[in-house]
mmCIF file of all heavy atoms in Angstrom:
data_model
loop_
_atom_site.group_PDB
_atom_site.id
_atom_site.type_symbol
_atom_site.label_atom_id
_atom_site.label_comp_id
_atom_site.label_asym_id
_atom_site.label_seq_id
_atom_site.Cartn_x
_atom_site.Cartn_y
_atom_site.Cartn_z
ATOM 1 N N GLY A 1 98.398 85.008 85.875
ATOM 2 C CA GLY A 1 99.708 84.503 85.550
ATOM 3 C C GLY A 1 100.581 85.615 84.970
ATOM 4 O O GLY A 1 100.056 86.631 84.474
ATOM 5 N N ARG A 2 101.877 85.398 85.039
ATOM 6 C CA ARG A 2 102.797 86.447 84.478
ATOM 7 C C ARG A 2 102.528 86.730 83.032
ATOM 8 O O ARG A 2 102.664 87.869 82.580
ATOM 9 C CB ARG A 2 104.228 85.971 84.697
ATOM 10 C CG ARG A 2 104.683 85.972 86.147
ATOM 11 C CD ARG A 2 106.107 85.458 86.292
ATOM 12 N NE ARG A 2 106.568 85.557 87.684
ATOM 13 C CZ ARG A 2 107.725 85.144 88.086
ATOM 14 N NH1 ARG A 2 108.604 84.590 87.246
ATOM 15 N NH2 ARG A 2 108.100 85.279 89.347
ATOM 16 N N GLU A 3 102.140 85.708 82.287
ATOM 17 C CA GLU A 3 101.922 85.924 80.828
ATOM 18 C C GLU A 3 100.727 86.813 80.540
ATOM 19 O O GLU A 3 100.595 87.296 79.427
ATOM 20 C CB GLU A 3 101.770 84.531 80.145
ATOM 21 C CG GLU A 3 100.482 83.820 80.448
ATOM 22 C CD GLU A 3 100.466 83.120 81.777
ATOM 23 O OE1 GLU A 3 101.483 83.145 82.510
ATOM 24 O OE2 GLU A 3 99.426 82.510 82.130
ATOM 25 N N GLU A 4 99.836 87.024 81.522
ATOM 26 C CA GLU A 4 98.656 87.838 81.339
ATOM 27 C C GLU A 4 98.801 89.275 81.761
ATOM 28 O O GLU A 4 97.965 90.115 81.427
ATOM 29 C CB GLU A 4 97.473 87.235 82.152
ATOM 30 C CG GLU A 4 97.167 85.766 81.887
ATOM 31 C CD GLU A 4 96.121 85.241 82.869
ATOM 32 O OE1 GLU A 4 95.702 85.977 83.802
ATOM 33 O OE2 GLU A 4 95.803 84.054 82.763
ATOM 34 N N ARG A 5 99.851 89.589 82.478
ATOM 35 C CA ARG A 5 99.886 90.825 83.237
ATOM 36 C C ARG A 5 100.079 92.079 82.335
ATOM 37 O O ARG A 5 99.674 93.168 82.717
ATOM 38 C CB ARG A 5 100.986 90.771 84.298
ATOM 39 C CG ARG A 5 100.607 89.806 85.394
ATOM 40 C CD ARG A 5 101.732 89.537 86.390
ATOM 41 N NE ARG A 5 101.303 88.499 87.323
ATOM 42 C CZ ARG A 5 102.119 87.897 88.218
ATOM 43 N NH1 ARG A 5 103.419 88.210 88.236
ATOM 44 N NH2 ARG A 5 101.657 86.990 89.029
ATOM 45 N N GLN A 6 100.682 91.919 81.170
ATOM 46 C CA GLN A 6 100.833 93.081 80.320
ATOM 47 C C GLN A 6 99.488 93.587 79.812
ATOM 48 O O GLN A 6 99.354 94.786 79.476
ATOM 49 C CB GLN A 6 101.752 92.728 79.128
ATOM 50 C CG GLN A 6 102.160 93.961 78.312
ATOM 51 C CD GLN A 6 103.097 93.606 77.195
ATOM 52 O OE1 GLN A 6 102.997 92.560 76.590
ATOM 53 N NE2 GLN A 6 104.026 94.520 76.898
ATOM 54 N N GLU A 7 98.481 92.729 79.792
ATOM 55 C CA GLU A 7 97.180 93.137 79.283
ATOM 56 C C GLU A 7 96.289 93.750 80.371
ATOM 57 O O GLU A 7 95.188 94.238 80.056
ATOM 58 C CB GLU A 7 96.466 91.918 78.701
ATOM 59 C CG GLU A 7 97.231 91.181 77.622
ATOM 60 C CD GLU A 7 97.658 92.101 76.497
ATOM 61 O OE1 GLU A 7 96.803 92.929 76.079
ATOM 62 O OE2 GLU A 7 98.804 91.978 76.022
ATOM 63 N N LEU A 8 96.745 93.805 81.600
ATOM 64 C CA LEU A 8 95.978 94.387 82.690
ATOM 65 C C LEU A 8 96.053 95.897 82.627
ATOM 66 O O LEU A 8 96.944 96.496 82.012
ATOM 67 C CB LEU A 8 96.486 93.878 84.031
ATOM 68 C CG LEU A 8 96.475 92.359 84.266
ATOM 69 C CD1 LEU A 8 97.117 91.995 85.609
ATOM 70 C CD2 LEU A 8 95.022 91.836 84.207
ATOM 71 N N ASP A 9 95.162 96.537 83.351
ATOM 72 C CA ASP A 9 95.122 98.010 83.434
ATOM 73 C C ASP A 9 96.163 98.469 84.487
ATOM 74 O O ASP A 9 95.836 98.900 85.570
ATOM 75 C CB ASP A 9 93.706 98.484 83.819
ATOM 76 C CG ASP A 9 93.587 100.007 83.786
ATOM 77 O OD1 ASP A 9 94.449 100.661 83.172
ATOM 78 O OD2 ASP A 9 92.667 100.517 84.419
ATOM 79 N N LEU A 10 97.421 98.322 84.095
ATOM 80 C CA LEU A 10 98.503 98.614 85.055
ATOM 81 C C LEU A 10 98.741 100.122 85.194
ATOM 82 O O LEU A 10 98.481 100.896 84.266
ATOM 83 C CB LEU A 10 99.823 97.991 84.536
ATOM 84 C CG LEU A 10 99.812 96.485 84.308
ATOM 85 C CD1 LEU A 10 101.195 96.018 83.777
ATOM 86 C CD2 LEU A 10 99.461 95.702 85.585
ATOM 87 N N LEU A 11 99.213 100.467 86.365
ATOM 88 C CA LEU A 11 99.656 101.863 86.575
ATOM 89 C C LEU A 11 100.766 102.226 85.592
ATOM 90 O O LEU A 11 101.654 101.394 85.293
ATOM 91 C CB LEU A 11 100.138 102.053 88.009
ATOM 92 C CG LEU A 11 99.090 102.102 89.126
ATOM 93 C CD1 LEU A 11 99.760 102.048 90.463
ATOM 94 C CD2 LEU A 11 98.190 103.306 88.997
ATOM 95 N N ALA A 12 100.762 103.458 85.111
ATOM 96 C CA ALA A 12 101.891 103.927 84.303
ATOM 97 C C ALA A 12 103.104 104.028 85.217
ATOM 98 O O ALA A 12 103.016 104.140 86.432
ATOM 99 C CB ALA A 12 101.553 105.287 83.716
ATOM 100 N N PRO A 13 104.352 103.974 84.644
ATOM 101 C CA PRO A 13 105.547 103.995 85.480
ATOM 102 C C PRO A 13 105.574 105.157 86.488
ATOM 103 O O PRO A 13 105.936 104.918 87.668
ATOM 104 C CB PRO A 13 106.670 104.117 84.394
ATOM 105 C CG PRO A 13 106.130 103.374 83.227
ATOM 106 C CD PRO A 13 104.655 103.726 83.221
ATOM 107 N N ALA A 14 105.252 106.349 86.074
ATOM 108 C CA ALA A 14 105.282 107.482 86.996
ATOM 109 C C ALA A 14 104.267 107.284 88.110
ATOM 110 O O ALA A 14 104.520 107.600 89.282
ATOM 111 C CB ALA A 14 105.042 108.797 86.259
ATOM 112 N N ASP A 15 103.094 106.784 87.777
ATOM 113 C CA ASP A 15 102.066 106.553 88.788
ATOM 114 C C ASP A 15 102.445 105.424 89.735
ATOM 115 O O ASP A 15 102.138 105.450 90.899
ATOM 116 C CB ASP A 15 100.762 106.249 88.127
ATOM 117 C CG ASP A 15 100.196 107.417 87.334
ATOM 118 O OD1 ASP A 15 100.504 108.566 87.694
ATOM 119 O OD2 ASP A 15 99.466 107.212 86.304
ATOM 120 N N ALA A 16 103.121 104.394 89.201
ATOM 121 C CA ALA A 16 103.566 103.292 90.064
ATOM 122 C C ALA A 16 104.610 103.805 91.064
ATOM 123 O O ALA A 16 104.599 103.418 92.255
ATOM 124 C CB ALA A 16 104.141 102.184 89.197
ATOM 125 N N ARG A 17 105.516 104.646 90.579
ATOM 126 C CA ARG A 17 106.499 105.191 91.513
ATOM 127 C C ARG A 17 105.823 106.062 92.596
ATOM 128 O O ARG A 17 106.193 106.015 93.777
ATOM 129 C CB ARG A 17 107.526 106.055 90.750
ATOM 130 C CG ARG A 17 108.515 105.278 89.873
ATOM 131 C CD ARG A 17 109.575 106.178 89.324
ATOM 132 N NE ARG A 17 110.507 105.496 88.457
ATOM 133 C CZ ARG A 17 110.411 105.424 87.141
ATOM 134 N NH1 ARG A 17 109.378 106.015 86.520
ATOM 135 N NH2 ARG A 17 111.298 104.747 86.423
ATOM 136 N N ALA A 18 104.846 106.864 92.157
ATOM 137 C CA ALA A 18 104.167 107.718 93.087
ATOM 138 C C ALA A 18 103.371 106.907 94.140
ATOM 139 O O ALA A 18 103.319 107.259 95.315
ATOM 140 C CB ALA A 18 103.202 108.680 92.351
ATOM 141 N N PHE A 19 102.755 105.829 93.677
ATOM 142 C CA PHE A 19 102.025 104.962 94.594
ATOM 143 C C PHE A 19 102.933 104.358 95.632
ATOM 144 O O PHE A 19 102.638 104.361 96.813
ATOM 145 C CB PHE A 19 101.315 103.877 93.757
ATOM 146 C CG PHE A 19 100.703 102.749 94.598
ATOM 147 C CD1 PHE A 19 99.765 103.038 95.593
ATOM 148 C CD2 PHE A 19 101.068 101.453 94.404
ATOM 149 C CE1 PHE A 19 99.227 102.016 96.377
ATOM 150 C CE2 PHE A 19 100.520 100.443 95.134
ATOM 151 C CZ PHE A 19 99.581 100.700 96.116
ATOM 152 N N CYS A 20 104.095 103.815 95.172
ATOM 153 C CA CYS A 20 105.036 103.225 96.114
ATOM 154 C C CYS A 20 105.551 104.281 97.104
ATOM 155 O O CYS A 20 105.718 103.967 98.316
ATOM 156 C CB CYS A 20 106.241 102.625 95.363
ATOM 157 S SG CYS A 20 105.839 101.116 94.440
ATOM 158 N N ALA A 21 105.789 105.504 96.630
ATOM 159 C CA ALA A 21 106.240 106.552 97.528
ATOM 160 C C ALA A 21 105.175 106.935 98.557
ATOM 161 O O ALA A 21 105.504 107.188 99.726
ATOM 162 C CB ALA A 21 106.663 107.793 96.734
ATOM 163 N N GLU A 22 103.901 106.995 98.122
ATOM 164 C CA GLU A 22 102.837 107.318 99.056
ATOM 165 C C GLU A 22 102.688 106.283 100.143
ATOM 166 O O GLU A 22 102.542 106.563 101.338
ATOM 167 C CB GLU A 22 101.516 107.456 98.273
ATOM 168 C CG GLU A 22 100.341 107.841 99.182
ATOM 169 C CD GLU A 22 99.016 107.872 98.442
ATOM 170 O OE1 GLU A 22 99.011 107.593 97.204
ATOM 171 O OE2 GLU A 22 97.996 108.110 99.087
ATOM 172 N N VAL A 23 102.733 104.995 99.710
ATOM 173 C CA VAL A 23 102.650 103.911 100.707
ATOM 174 C C VAL A 23 103.805 104.003 101.669
ATOM 175 O O VAL A 23 103.613 103.917 102.915
ATOM 176 C CB VAL A 23 102.657 102.539 99.996
ATOM 177 C CG1 VAL A 23 102.786 101.406 101.010
ATOM 178 C CG2 VAL A 23 101.413 102.360 99.129
ATOM 179 N N ARG A 24 105.001 104.194 101.204
ATOM 180 C CA ARG A 24 106.176 104.255 102.037
ATOM 181 C C ARG A 24 106.058 105.412 103.029
ATOM 182 O O ARG A 24 106.454 105.294 104.218
ATOM 183 C CB ARG A 24 107.445 104.333 101.193
ATOM 184 C CG ARG A 24 108.743 104.479 102.008
ATOM 185 C CD ARG A 24 108.949 103.372 103.055
ATOM 186 N NE ARG A 24 108.889 102.058 102.495
ATOM 187 C CZ ARG A 24 109.907 101.472 101.901
ATOM 188 N NH1 ARG A 24 111.067 102.088 101.814
ATOM 189 N NH2 ARG A 24 109.778 100.238 101.415
ATOM 190 N N GLU A 25 105.613 106.551 102.610
ATOM 191 C CA GLU A 25 105.472 107.704 103.483
ATOM 192 C C GLU A 25 104.531 107.360 104.647
ATOM 193 O O GLU A 25 104.829 107.652 105.824
ATOM 194 C CB GLU A 25 104.942 108.890 102.730
ATOM 195 C CG GLU A 25 104.798 110.193 103.573
ATOM 196 C CD GLU A 25 104.325 111.385 102.780
ATOM 197 O OE1 GLU A 25 104.044 111.224 101.585
ATOM 198 O OE2 GLU A 25 104.210 112.473 103.371
ATOM 199 N N ARG A 26 103.402 106.699 104.348
ATOM 200 C CA ARG A 26 102.474 106.337 105.422
ATOM 201 C C ARG A 26 103.070 105.238 106.339
ATOM 202 O O ARG A 26 102.802 105.244 107.537
ATOM 203 C CB ARG A 26 101.179 105.844 104.779
ATOM 204 C CG ARG A 26 100.423 106.963 104.097
ATOM 205 C CD ARG A 26 99.099 106.506 103.563
ATOM 206 N NE ARG A 26 98.202 106.112 104.650
ATOM 207 C CZ ARG A 26 96.940 105.707 104.471
ATOM 208 N NH1 ARG A 26 96.433 105.649 103.230
ATOM 209 N NH2 ARG A 26 96.167 105.352 105.496
ATOM 210 N N VAL A 27 103.856 104.352 105.760
ATOM 211 C CA VAL A 27 104.484 103.326 106.594
ATOM 212 C C VAL A 27 105.495 103.959 107.570
ATOM 213 O O VAL A 27 105.493 103.600 108.766
ATOM 214 C CB VAL A 27 105.194 102.308 105.709
ATOM 215 C CG1 VAL A 27 106.182 101.406 106.519
ATOM 216 C CG2 VAL A 27 104.200 101.429 104.974
ATOM 217 N N LEU A 28 106.287 104.874 107.086
ATOM 218 C CA LEU A 28 107.251 105.512 107.968
ATOM 219 C C LEU A 28 106.581 106.341 109.087
ATOM 220 O O LEU A 28 107.053 106.394 110.229
ATOM 221 C CB LEU A 28 108.219 106.395 107.172
ATOM 222 C CG LEU A 28 109.120 105.640 106.166
ATOM 223 C CD1 LEU A 28 109.968 106.632 105.385
ATOM 224 C CD2 LEU A 28 110.001 104.616 106.879
ATOM 225 N N GLU A 29 105.457 106.942 108.714
ATOM 226 C CA GLU A 29 104.676 107.652 109.749
ATOM 227 C C GLU A 29 104.149 106.723 110.814
ATOM 228 O O GLU A 29 104.196 106.984 112.022
ATOM 229 C CB GLU A 29 103.497 108.377 109.087
ATOM 230 C CG GLU A 29 103.903 109.599 108.262
ATOM 231 C CD GLU A 29 102.725 110.181 107.527
ATOM 232 O OE1 GLU A 29 101.617 109.630 107.628
ATOM 233 O OE2 GLU A 29 102.872 111.197 106.830
ATOM 234 N N SER A 30 103.685 105.536 110.378
ATOM 235 C CA SER A 30 103.070 104.596 111.336
ATOM 236 C C SER A 30 104.130 103.914 112.211
ATOM 237 O O SER A 30 103.810 103.427 113.289
ATOM 238 C CB SER A 30 102.289 103.537 110.556
ATOM 239 O OG SER A 30 103.122 102.682 109.820
ATOM 240 N N LEU A 31 105.391 103.908 111.751
ATOM 241 C CA LEU A 31 106.438 103.221 112.538
ATOM 242 C C LEU A 31 106.637 103.883 113.889
ATOM 243 O O LEU A 31 107.086 103.231 114.819
ATOM 244 C CB LEU A 31 107.741 103.197 111.733
ATOM 245 C CG LEU A 31 108.007 101.971 110.888
ATOM 246 C CD1 LEU A 31 109.204 102.178 109.986
ATOM 247 C CD2 LEU A 31 108.160 100.734 111.757
ATOM 248 N N GLY A 32 106.325 105.158 113.971
ATOM 249 C CA GLY A 32 106.485 105.848 115.283
ATOM 250 C C GLY A 32 105.555 105.291 116.318
ATOM 251 O O GLY A 32 105.854 105.485 117.524
ATOM 252 N N ARG A 33 104.525 104.581 115.880
ATOM 253 C CA ARG A 33 103.560 103.998 116.858
ATOM 254 C C ARG A 33 103.749 102.491 116.990
ATOM 255 O O ARG A 33 102.986 101.861 117.718
ATOM 256 C CB ARG A 33 102.131 104.334 116.407
ATOM 257 C CG ARG A 33 101.824 105.812 116.315
ATOM 258 C CD ARG A 33 100.371 106.077 115.944
ATOM 259 N NE ARG A 33 100.089 105.641 114.582
ATOM 260 C CZ ARG A 33 100.300 106.402 113.512
ATOM 261 N NH1 ARG A 33 100.798 107.610 113.621
ATOM 262 N NH2 ARG A 33 100.008 105.975 112.288
ATOM 263 N N GLU A 34 104.692 101.947 116.267
ATOM 264 C CA GLU A 34 104.876 100.470 116.270
ATOM 265 C C GLU A 34 105.619 100.058 117.551
ATOM 266 O O GLU A 34 106.699 100.612 117.850
ATOM 267 C CB GLU A 34 105.676 100.018 115.041
ATOM 268 C CG GLU A 34 105.799 98.535 114.941
ATOM 269 C CD GLU A 34 104.439 97.874 114.770
ATOM 270 O OE1 GLU A 34 103.828 97.979 113.710
ATOM 271 O OE2 GLU A 34 104.059 97.211 115.760
ATOM 272 N N LEU A 35 105.094 99.101 118.270
ATOM 273 C CA LEU A 35 105.663 98.665 119.525
ATOM 274 C C LEU A 35 106.475 97.384 119.396
ATOM 275 O O LEU A 35 107.188 96.989 120.313
ATOM 276 C CB LEU A 35 104.553 98.422 120.582
ATOM 277 C CG LEU A 35 103.702 99.635 120.946
ATOM 278 C CD1 LEU A 35 102.585 99.219 121.916
ATOM 279 C CD2 LEU A 35 104.550 100.750 121.546
ATOM 280 N N PHE A 36 106.392 96.715 118.235
ATOM 281 C CA PHE A 36 107.104 95.429 118.058
ATOM 282 C C PHE A 36 106.799 94.490 119.225
ATOM 283 O O PHE A 36 107.732 93.926 119.861
ATOM 284 C CB PHE A 36 108.620 95.629 117.896
ATOM 285 C CG PHE A 36 108.983 96.515 116.704
ATOM 286 C CD1 PHE A 36 109.336 97.846 116.911
ATOM 287 C CD2 PHE A 36 108.914 96.013 115.437
ATOM 288 C CE1 PHE A 36 109.635 98.663 115.809
ATOM 289 C CE2 PHE A 36 109.207 96.814 114.325
ATOM 290 C CZ PHE A 36 109.595 98.139 114.546
ATOM 291 N N ALA A 37 105.544 94.330 119.492
ATOM 292 C CA ALA A 37 105.113 93.545 120.696
ATOM 293 C C ALA A 37 105.496 92.099 120.599
ATOM 294 O O ALA A 37 105.295 91.441 119.562
ATOM 295 C CB ALA A 37 103.611 93.697 120.843
ATOM 296 N N ASP A 38 106.030 91.571 121.694
ATOM 297 C CA ASP A 38 106.465 90.175 121.725
ATOM 298 C C ASP A 38 105.295 89.200 121.653
ATOM 299 O O ASP A 38 105.465 88.059 121.261
ATOM 300 C CB ASP A 38 107.280 89.899 122.982
ATOM 301 C CG ASP A 38 108.693 90.504 122.929
ATOM 302 O OD1 ASP A 38 109.074 90.859 121.842
ATOM 303 O OD2 ASP A 38 109.321 90.593 123.978
ATOM 304 N N ASP A 39 104.090 89.670 122.059
ATOM 305 C CA ASP A 39 102.936 88.743 122.025
ATOM 306 C C ASP A 39 102.251 88.699 120.665
ATOM 307 O O ASP A 39 101.250 87.976 120.496
ATOM 308 C CB ASP A 39 101.939 89.132 123.127
ATOM 309 C CG ASP A 39 101.410 90.558 122.931
ATOM 310 O OD1 ASP A 39 101.892 91.294 122.036
ATOM 311 O OD2 ASP A 39 100.497 90.967 123.706
ATOM 312 N N ASP A 40 102.759 89.450 119.672
ATOM 313 C CA ASP A 40 102.238 89.404 118.314
ATOM 314 C C ASP A 40 103.303 88.869 117.421
ATOM 315 O O ASP A 40 104.325 89.532 117.169
ATOM 316 C CB ASP A 40 101.824 90.841 117.907
ATOM 317 C CG ASP A 40 101.206 90.895 116.523
ATOM 318 O OD1 ASP A 40 101.295 89.855 115.794
ATOM 319 O OD2 ASP A 40 100.677 91.926 116.105
ATOM 320 N N PRO A 41 103.107 87.639 116.867
ATOM 321 C CA PRO A 41 104.176 87.063 116.055
ATOM 322 C C PRO A 41 104.491 87.848 114.780
ATOM 323 O O PRO A 41 105.572 87.711 114.198
ATOM 324 C CB PRO A 41 103.641 85.652 115.735
ATOM 325 C CG PRO A 41 102.173 85.746 115.963
ATOM 326 C CD PRO A 41 101.995 86.740 117.044
ATOM 327 N N LEU A 42 103.507 88.685 114.332
ATOM 328 C CA LEU A 42 103.808 89.522 113.156
ATOM 329 C C LEU A 42 104.764 90.617 113.449
ATOM 330 O O LEU A 42 105.624 90.952 112.584
ATOM 331 C CB LEU A 42 102.474 90.100 112.629
ATOM 332 C CG LEU A 42 101.721 89.303 111.564
ATOM 333 C CD1 LEU A 42 100.439 90.031 111.221
ATOM 334 C CD2 LEU A 42 102.569 89.093 110.308
ATOM 335 N N THR A 43 104.664 91.240 114.616
ATOM 336 C CA THR A 43 105.501 92.394 114.942
ATOM 337 C C THR A 43 106.731 92.033 115.722
ATOM 338 O O THR A 43 107.710 92.821 115.775
ATOM 339 C CB THR A 43 104.708 93.444 115.663
ATOM 340 O OG1 THR A 43 104.220 92.921 116.902
ATOM 341 C CG2 THR A 43 103.508 93.927 114.791
ATOM 342 N N ARG A 44 106.743 90.859 116.406
ATOM 343 C CA ARG A 44 107.861 90.481 117.282
ATOM 344 C C ARG A 44 109.158 90.473 116.452
ATOM 345 O O ARG A 44 109.259 89.822 115.413
ATOM 346 C CB ARG A 44 107.608 89.112 117.851
ATOM 347 C CG ARG A 44 108.692 88.667 118.821
ATOM 348 C CD ARG A 44 108.361 87.362 119.503
ATOM 349 N NE ARG A 44 108.032 86.290 118.590
ATOM 350 C CZ ARG A 44 106.963 85.517 118.665
ATOM 351 N NH1 ARG A 44 106.114 85.699 119.657
ATOM 352 N NH2 ARG A 44 106.795 84.551 117.789
ATOM 353 N N GLY A 45 110.132 91.230 116.921
ATOM 354 C CA GLY A 45 111.411 91.328 116.221
ATOM 355 C C GLY A 45 111.331 92.060 114.938
ATOM 356 O O GLY A 45 112.293 92.030 114.099
ATOM 357 N N GLY A 46 110.186 92.727 114.644
ATOM 358 C CA GLY A 46 110.035 93.401 113.375
ATOM 359 C C GLY A 46 109.759 92.512 112.199
ATOM 360 O O GLY A 46 110.039 92.867 111.056
ATOM 361 N N PHE A 47 109.188 91.269 112.495
ATOM 362 C CA PHE A 47 109.087 90.255 111.414
ATOM 363 C C PHE A 47 108.346 90.800 110.206
ATOM 364 O O PHE A 47 108.832 90.641 109.074
ATOM 365 C CB PHE A 47 108.351 89.019 111.958
ATOM 366 C CG PHE A 47 108.026 88.026 110.857
ATOM 367 C CD1 PHE A 47 108.997 87.128 110.436
ATOM 368 C CD2 PHE A 47 106.799 88.029 110.240
ATOM 369 C CE1 PHE A 47 108.747 86.281 109.375
ATOM 370 C CE2 PHE A 47 106.534 87.178 109.188
ATOM 371 C CZ PHE A 47 107.514 86.265 108.763
ATOM 372 N N VAL A 48 107.161 91.398 110.350
ATOM 373 C CA VAL A 48 106.369 91.774 109.191
ATOM 374 C C VAL A 48 107.086 92.843 108.374
ATOM 375 O O VAL A 48 107.017 92.858 107.153
ATOM 376 C CB VAL A 48 104.951 92.203 109.590
ATOM 377 C CG1 VAL A 48 104.959 93.537 110.317
ATOM 378 C CG2 VAL A 48 104.046 92.229 108.364
#
């Protein structure tokens, strides 16, 4: 629950930013191979 989350072993702000940036870099790399296939409801029209 939201009331519990401050007590978790959360990433420090700088580390959270770095994690988001690393994920985004890999996502943008993978987009070059994305076909947005009509037979896959997750990718059709870029839904996911």
Side-chain angles (χ1 to χ4, degrees):
R2 290 177 176 177
E3 71 281 359
E4 304 172 359
R5 291 171 185 169
Q6 190 176 35
E7 305 305 318
L8 301 175
D9 184 19
L10 302 178
L11 287 171
D15 294 332
R17 289 188 181 95
F19 170 58
C20 289
E22 181 186 359
V23 171
R24 176 56 54 83
E25 183 178 2
R26 293 185 63 178
V27 165
L28 294 178
E29 290 174 356
S30 69
L31 268 171
R33 299 183 293 274
E34 185 62 72
L35 300 176
F36 300 103
D38 287 345
D39 60 353
D40 182 349
L42 267 178
T43 61
R44 182 173 56 228
F47 172 83
V48 70

